[in-house]
Amino acid sequence: MPRVKAYDKDLVLEKAMNVFWIHGYGNTSVRLLEKEMGINQFSIYSSFLNKKNLFIETLRKYREHAGQSLFSSLRKRNAGINDLKEFLYGFVELVRQGKARNGCLVVNTTSEMDAATDPDIAVELQKYFVFVQGMIRNILLNSIQAGDVSPDTDVEKYSNYLLGLMQGLSVIAKNMNEKQVADYISVALLNIEE
Amino acid sequence: MPRVKAYDKDLVLEKAMNVFWIHGYGNTSVRLLEKEMGINQFSIYSSFLNKKNLFIETLRKYREHAGQSLFSSLRKRNAGINDLKEFLYGFVELVRQGKARNGCLVVNTTSEMDAATDPDIAVELQKYFVFVQGMIRNILLNSIQAGDVSPDTDVEKYSNYLLGLMQGLSVIAKNMNEKQVADYISVALLNIEE
DNA sequence: ATGTATTCTAAGCAGTAGCTTAGATTGAGT
DNA sequence: ACTCAATCTAAGCTACTGCTTAGAATACAT
């Protein structure tokens, strides 16, 4: 067997993710990618086929990344409303520190795409939303069982609300200050705490 | 005095607005603009200086456009909570008809921009948010005066909430169906109606 | 050591980006 | 009817886009 790869595919994919996250799909050139990923264009194309496919793999990576870092507390089997509240108020702190300025890669991409979106990318975006909504549904069900949320809550309805809330959050993190974001969250949560 | 313009500047600006709205700033080429605006590149540059400046004028136009059509009911001097509710439920109907798929030009642009946004464009985006929030503040104050909203409501806090809510709405209009959007709105409004 | 399948380097491809320019065309003021 | 400043046409500028390719470099199996 011949020469071996000089780079870790998963590692350069994570670097690509950050580039797309900061600049967006359209504003990220392959030249910039090779600079930030630290590998040559040839290697990018031989490992990831083309720019679009690299981006799609990036979106998968992003889902994994979000699940393991940002959403880790919400993914616990028994996560409940209090975890969600802590998550949201923790997000305000991220805004204060300027660490949420890039928003959410998936929401940004949703905004960037035409009404006639690329279907392959659209599928990957939807997977992310399904993932997040599943997390939220789980939290609501746990909280009903724990008695923290009224048992006759319409879980589907509230999970749609919270999914939209979090998408809004990722946008206002880019154009509102800490106080405004805190206001948004505190009023939004009045609907859930009994 | 010499030859006169063969086109109406304000009219071609409106056409440019629609192109940017559909495709986003980065994905709109000057070639596409000249096709859709119906005038030559030379005319674009002589009337609007360059692409970025055309876009900035487009954002001004968009604010004017939104105020006169989408937000017309909310801009009435005595607009109140009921007008806001009607507006939001009317928006669900737009989603149902597929007329909200492009989202909001300003929110889309916010998502498209880097953390280190072009400052000239950022200023124009902020003007839009100030405009919308002013509208919302007015509605809240009117409703307090009319007795439809509790007089000890923190107007600033709730206007931040509602501004975020509307930004979220413009995003989910691109990736959620009618039912999901209706859920989002109906839960969101529980906070305001007494 | 040698063979060889794979990786890496770096140059280059056609297509498109934003923008400019020379010259023909226009039409109100005289 | 003529003037002339402004408009429009169409070609072309440089820079950059995503992507490809020929050839040198590599490292495992023999």
Side-chain angles (χ1 to χ4, degrees), chain B residues 1-3 28-31 41-42 45 50-51:
Chain B
M1 279 289 136
R3 194 172 176 175
T28 298
S29 71
V30 178
R31 263 81 174 177
Q41 291 203 40
F42 175 89
Y45 284 95
N50 55 37
K51 186 189 171 187

Side-chain angles (χ1 to χ4, degrees), chain A residues 76-100:
Chain A
K76 290 182 304 183
R77 207 185 306 280
N78 295 319
I81 278 297
N82 281 329
D83 295 293
L84 181 61
K85 280 191 213 172
E86 270 177 36
F87 167 81
L88 292 172
Y89 286 112
F91 196 86
V92 177
E93 178 59 18
L94 289 183
V95 171
R96 202 188 62 74
Q97 293 169 359
K99 289 180 182 167

Side-chain angles (χ1 to χ4, degrees), chain A residues 2-19:
Chain A
R3 191 171 178 175
V4 85
K5 273 199 180 77
Y7 57 92
D8 180 54
K9 189 179 169 184
D10 208 59
L11 207 113
V12 297
L13 183 58
E14 198 174 315
K15 290 181 179 174
M17 179 187 81
N18 286 315
V19 183

Side-chain angles (χ1 to χ4, degrees), chain B residues 89-101 173 177-178:
Chain B
Y89 286 113
F91 196 87
V92 178
E93 178 58 19
L94 288 183
V95 170
R96 202 187 62 74
Q97 294 171 357
K99 290 181 183 168
R101 290 249 171 76
N177 62 36
E178 181 198 355

Side-chain angles (χ1 to χ4, degrees), chain A residues 13-28 32-33 55 58-59 61-63 65-67 69-71 91 94 99-109 112 128 170 173-174, chain B residues 110-116:
Chain A
L13 183 58
E14 198 174 315
K15 290 181 179 174
M17 179 187 81
N18 286 315
V19 183
F20 282 126
W21 199 348
I22 293 170
H23 299 102
Y25 178 65
N27 289 322
T28 298
L32 181 60
L33 283 167
F55 185 63
T58 278
L59 289 173
K61 184 83 193 164
Y62 183 77
R63 213 179 323 137
H65 169 83
S69 60
L70 184 66
F71 293 144
F91 196 86
L94 289 183
K99 289 180 182 167
R101 290 251 171 77
N102 296 327
C104 165
L105 174 59
V106 174
V107 173
N108 291 349
T109 306
E112 186 178 345
Y128 184 81
S170 85
K174 303 188 86 174
Chain B
T110 300
S111 292
E112 185 178 345
M113 294 289 157
D114 296 9

